[in-house]
Amino acid sequence: MATHTHHDTGGSNAGDLADLERIACELAVQAGRLIVDERPRGLGVAATKSSDTDVVTVMDQRSEAFLHERLAELRPHDGLLGEEGAEQRGTSGITWVVDPIDGTVNYLYEIPAYAVSIAACIGEVPGGAWSTVAGAVYNPITGELFHARSGGGAFLRRGDHEESLSISTERELARSLTGTGFGYDAEWRGEQGAVVARLLPKVRDIRRIGSAALDLCFVGAGRLDVYYESGLNPWDQAAGQLVAIEAGGVVQGRGDDAPGKDLVVAGPAGLVADLKDVLQM
Ligand code: IPD
Ligand code: CA
């Protein structure tokens, strides 16, 4: 499957999808408030460097535990997959894929670009073919809530204001603001750096915002023309992928592969094709 189009909603009807989207939105906002409101005083770069127990990890775990608990109440038959280890098979065909804090390094440094990402998925997640049918990504600092459901369009809500999103109309890679990110493994970063060095002269500029979930939503909002990254896990990308697609974009992997750990490229179809050509050089 070359591109996720999300027309197959796994037998769910529009009403079900609207419910899933509403739950994703509510829980993303609640968990987002939790990580801000309950952030330990004095949590900062210096504090974490001197201790073995990573305070960020503690907040990650608390956010995931909250989501786990709420989803078990609201959707007892669904499965769950979370970055902090939650993995539960369900019987409904829906699996919730959650990133309790995406952009943890930004969270640590108080750079206002982190988010809670919640997606309702169908298929074999993480190992097989899967896709997202509803999702939400919430940045608790800017108050921006990005959300989408399959076939329903992509939206950005801030307070009482809601706007529908559409991707960039840029057609030239040379004029494209290109988002990317890097993994945590040093050796892998070396290779990722070499790819960026080759790409940088061919695009308008590069952004490394630090949250893959927000990067994908920014593609949906046209704040990035195009985005690529290798090494992402399902929770980093599940909700953001749907926002990018419902805003008119395509999300692809390498060659004809579905997007996955190997590669995710998101944006307008033409830019995605041109960027993939450069990445495969
Ligand atoms: C990371 C962020 C980052 C991306 C990394 C991810 P985390 O997730 O999304 O932007 O470049 O690949 O691992 O660790 O902050 O949840
Ligand atoms: Ca993440």
Side-chain angles (χ1 to χ4, degrees):
M1 185 175 32
T3 301
H4 283 196
T5 48
H6 293 274
H7 293 311
D8 175 11
T9 55
S12 311
N13 65 41
D16 293 338
L17 293 184
D19 260 2
L20 298 176
E21 186 182 20
R22 184 182 45 75
I23 289 170
C25 288
E26 275 175 23
L27 296 187
V29 169
Q30 288 169 10
R33 291 199 181 123
L34 181 144
I35 61 175
V36 171
D37 294 348
E38 314 251 324
R39 180 186 173 106
R41 272 179 201 288
L43 165 62
V45 185
T48 30
K49 278 189 179 147
S50 58
S51 94
D52 275 355
T53 28
D54 187 344
V55 213
V56 174
T57 307
V58 172
M59 290 311 292
D60 254 315
Q61 287 165 346
R62 285 191 55 192
S63 174
E64 186 161 309
F66 166 79
L67 294 171
H68 196 157
E69 208 170 284
R70 292 294 291 130
L71 284 167
E73 280 165 27
L74 293 167
R75 304 278 313 177
H77 305 298
D78 297 351
L80 177 67
L81 176 70
E83 171 162 33
E84 293 304 315
E87 192 163 6
Q88 205 165 283
R89 274 185 175 276
T91 52
S92 64
I94 298 285
T95 302
W96 292 89
V97 178
V98 305
D99 196 334
I101 307 178
D102 185 54
T104 44
V105 177
N106 286 341
Y107 180 70
L108 176 62
Y109 280 76
E110 298 195 84
I111 295 172
Y114 53 87
V116 176
S117 173
I118 303 184
C121 299
I122 56 170
E124 279 296 306
V125 58
W130 59 271
S131 64
T132 307
V133 293
V137 174
Y138 180 63
N139 177 335
I141 303 301
T142 60
E144 290 184 317
L145 175 68
F146 297 89
H147 63 100
R149 67 171 182 268
S150 198
F155 297 88
L156 167 55
R157 187 185 308 158
R158 204 194 279 111
D160 292 336
H161 181 76
E162 176 132 277
E163 62 185 278
S164 102
L165 298 180
S166 41
I167 54 160
S168 161
T169 54
E170 183 54 64
R171 283 164 185 270
E172 294 292 326
L173 190 59
R175 285 198 299 258
S176 292
L177 189 59
T178 303
T180 191
F182 310 113
Y184 290 104
D185 179 79
E187 199 175 316
W188 201 345
R189 286 173 158 238
E191 285 169 35
Q192 291 180 316
V195 172
V196 170
R198 205 170 66 217
L199 186 63
L200 195 47
K202 296 188 161 62
V203 294
R204 178 191 290 272
D205 205 348
I206 297 275
R207 289 291 178 272
R208 196 291 194 249
I209 291 167
S211 158
L214 288 175
D215 290 327
L216 286 160
C217 292
F218 283 12
V219 167
R223 294 176 185 176
L224 290 172
D225 294 305
V226 67
Y227 162 79
Y228 78 97
E229 185 161 348
S230 289
L232 292 183
N233 286 299
W235 43 83
D236 303 313
Q237 50 173 306
Q241 270 194 20
L242 186 61
V243 171
I245 289 167
E246 288 295 327
V250 299
V251 183
Q252 298 182 358
R254 196 173 303 276
D256 289 337
D257 292 350
K261 190 140 196 150
D262 179 43
L263 183 66
V264 174
V265 189
L271 285 182
V272 165
D274 292 348
L275 178 57
K276 279 171 71 170
D277 282 346
V278 178
L279 294 176
Q280 272 154 22
M281 258 169 43

